[in-house]
Amino acid sequence: MLSSFLLVCGPLWAHHGNSAYDEQHWITLAGTVTEFVWSNPHCQIFMDVKDDKGGVVNWAIESQSPGILRRNGWTRTIFKPGDQISVTLAPAKNRAPVGFSGNALGKIVFADGRVLKMDVR
């Protein structure tokens, strides 16, 4: 019985961990939105960011679920390709261009100064 429980519930625990992200060293990136995906379990923001050498790197940023974001004033059309934003995020520990910006430390700021929150309350 215990093995059946672990087989069914194990993936749930694995999914909700943020062990892939370095939550001790948050960074802020500025760039251009290329795509916004409004879907469960987590919405995704894709953006082009210039690297140290002037090249462009496409970052994938994980946020919260649509329900949580909606309670914080977000909509499925809040980002459009071409929007200039800065995102405070926990980067991937393996240095891949992915990050997590889905808690109280995460922040998104539009070029006009509007700030988006991701409060999980």
Side-chain angles (χ1 to χ4, degrees), residues 87-111:
V87 181
T88 302
L89 58 87
K93 289 179 181 176
N94 69 0
R95 300 187 187 267
V98 297
F100 175 71
S101 187
N103 66 23
L105 295 177
K107 179 169 76 170
I108 297 176
V109 181
F110 283 91

Side-chain angles (χ1 to χ4, degrees), residues 34-62:
T34 58
E35 184 179 5
F36 178 53
V37 179
W38 181 268
S39 69
N40 281 311
H42 300 277
C43 295
Q44 298 279 326
I45 304 163
F46 297 90
M47 63 187 280
D48 285 340
V49 177
K50 287 191 179 178
D51 65 16
D52 298 346
K53 299 172 185 150
V56 175
V57 177
N58 189 257
W59 277 74
I61 300 145
E62 180 179 356

Side-chain angles (χ1 to χ4, degrees), residues 15-46:
H15 169 75
H16 284 93
N18 281 344
S19 62
Y21 302 113
D22 184 356
E23 294 189 82
Q24 301 303 311
H25 300 97
W26 288 73
I27 61 173
T28 300
L29 301 173
T32 305
V33 173
T34 58
E35 184 179 5
F36 178 53
V37 179
W38 181 268
S39 69
N40 281 311
H42 300 277
C43 295
Q44 298 279 326
I45 304 163
F46 297 90

Side-chain angles (χ1 to χ4, degrees), residues 84 109-115:
Q84 299 296 308
V109 181
F110 283 91
D112 65 7
R114 285 179 296 145
V115 177

